Amino acid sequence: QIILLDEMMDNYQWISLRKKTDSKNLEKHYYYLIRLLKHLSNIYKKEVVICIHPMDNLEKKKRLFADFRVIKYQTRKYIFKAFLVLFTESSAIVDAILLKKRIVSFYSSYMDENMIKHTENYAENIGTVKINIEDEITFNKDDFLLKLDKAKEKYLNFIESRIVPDGNNLGYEKIIKTLKERFFY
């Protein structure tokens, strides 16, 4: 399956941190995103599943993504089965990185500057393939897969430096050790 980790662009929580996206721009953003998802679904003969945030409005997203299955509370399950994962910013992407899934970071001019910077940072730090969803879709399906597979080679550095910087040491053990050292010598 092709999995989209959908962003809550118009959620009140995110709006408090960045500007509200104009409804016409939001509509255009989703037009281009849906166009890309349909294209990927057609060329790879894969079902598209939209995974939404637990705080997101399921019924609203089902209407928005009417041609796809929209799910809530099952993101991890679908990432495990994913052929390809698309996202802008989501902590759930860590599962896809650890599983070395094909990952696409996408953006559009309709997103705010903060969201675009997140997309660029993921592409830079993780090595994900970054695309502008507004661009004309001209890539060769086999070449695109090769590019996605090659990008996975860069995940290890991110995993070692950001996800498990202490190797096999468990986080809670490090916290306990640090607390003991600092406060209970």
Side-chain angles (χ1 to χ4, degrees):
Q1 296 165 326
I2 296 169
I3 306 302
L4 169 67
L5 304 178
D6 188 47
E7 174 67 26
M8 296 191 307
M9 288 178 66
D10 59 350
N11 179 271
Y12 71 92
Q13 177 182 336
W14 307 130
I15 292 171
S16 68
L17 299 172
R18 55 189 181 224
K19 70 177 185 175
K20 181 171 173 50
T21 306
D22 174 81
S23 60
K24 292 221 182 288
N25 285 343
L26 199 58
E27 204 174 287
K28 290 175 185 175
H29 171 81
Y30 280 110
Y31 165 80
Y32 287 111
L33 178 55
I34 290 167
R35 178 188 73 156
L36 174 65
L37 292 171
K38 285 180 178 180
H39 180 76
L40 291 170
S41 178
N42 287 335
I43 66 171
Y44 293 116
K45 308 294 184 232
K46 303 284 184 194
E47 173 191 24
V48 172
V49 177
I50 312 298
C51 295
I52 65 170
H53 190 279
M55 292 177 23
D56 210 340
N57 183 325
L58 181 60
E59 294 310 312
K60 181 179 176 182
K61 289 296 172 91
K62 282 183 175 181
R63 287 189 301 275
L64 179 64
F65 293 109
D67 295 333
F68 308 117
R69 185 161 31 135
V70 180
I71 59 102
K72 192 173 186 176
Y73 308 118
Q74 298 178 60
T75 301
R76 179 169 278 167
K77 170 184 159 185
Y78 282 92
I79 288 173
F80 269 92
K81 298 193 269 181
F83 166 76
L84 173 64
V85 179
L86 292 93
F87 84 115
T88 54
E89 55 181 319
S90 171
S91 60
I93 200 62
V94 171
D95 289 332
I97 296 164
L98 288 170
L99 293 167
K100 295 186 174 72
K101 296 293 182 174
R102 296 175 180 111
I103 302 172
V104 173
S105 304
F106 67 88
Y107 67 98
S108 75
S109 63
Y110 306 108
M111 296 164 58
D112 69 43
E113 185 179 338
N114 185 47
M115 292 174 71
I116 294 170
K117 285 195 185 301
H118 276 273
T119 302
E120 290 169 355
N121 284 337
Y122 279 115
E124 208 173 284
N125 293 316
I126 301 169
T128 58
V129 172
K130 177 181 76 170
I131 60 173
N132 182 340
I133 60 175
E134 296 168 79
D135 288 346
E136 186 178 341
I137 304 170
T138 59
F139 55 80
N140 173 286
K141 75 177 196 171
D142 295 326
D143 291 343
F144 190 59
L145 278 185
L146 286 173
K147 186 176 181 179
L148 290 167
D149 287 337
K150 184 151 180 60
K152 291 191 284 185
E153 296 170 6
K154 299 174 188 172
Y155 296 0
L156 185 58
N157 183 49
F158 185 81
I159 292 168
E160 290 175 348
S161 65
R162 304 278 178 94
I163 299 174
V164 288
D166 290 342
N168 291 329
N169 297 328
L170 298 175
Y172 76 90
E173 290 174 350
K174 182 176 180 178
I175 291 168
I176 292 169
K177 180 181 174 193
T178 301
L179 288 173
K180 283 180 179 178
E181 288 172 355
R182 292 188 182 171
F183 301 105
F184 305 104
Y185 7 107

